[in-house]
Amino acid sequence: MNQEKIGKFIASCRKEQGFTQTVLAEKLGITDRAVSKWETGRNLPDAAIMPELCGLLNIQLSELFRGERMTTEAHQKAFDALLLEMKQQEEAANRRILQLEKVLVCMTIAVSLTMILGGCYLAKDHLALGIALLTFGAAVVFAVCFVGVKIEHDTGYYECPECGERYIPTMKAVVMALHRGTARKMTCPFCGKCAYHQKVLAR
Ligand SMILES: [Zn+2]
């Protein structure tokens, strides 16, 4: 942020509104020395006071930060850039969750399969213990698959190839659906067509 530019901008907006430094200071409940410090670029207004200051100067917060008026087009551009950044952050976060999910599911299934095999082997000599181990292993596989599907459901969206809409399906739809990689065969709530809907990480 260019403090000096912001200071000059505050001074020019204040004059446009016909306020002296003292009048602006009184309206904000601060000293005129504080206003003078902003305008000479020695200080920035407190974040807490900024919304009220912008209101009095009839400017947007984004204009105060840039130290200049922005056209509607420039505002729209800044807003679009912010939206894009948020979308990219959401995608990155969702990608990390899904990667972690895959690793955990694979690891747990490997451990559980070992338990199941161990259970089968043990069952020859120690039937009760073998069956217990086998049952426990199977229960863990089942639980982990369910948690995996739940994480997949909760992360990101599914995209309909027919109408291009992105949506969050019900948990039931995801569990019941046939899947091919990260695509699931579901009925689109928008166009009603049944197709393989691809997992996407952001709307
Ligand atoms: Zn559709």
Side-chain angles (χ1 to χ4, degrees), residues 160 163 188 191:
C160 169
C163 66
C188 172
C191 67

Side-chain angles (χ1 to χ4, degrees), residues 160-165 188-193 197:
C160 169
E162 300 290 338
C163 66
E165 288 284 353
C188 172
F190 294 94
C191 67
K193 288 186 184 143
H197 294 180

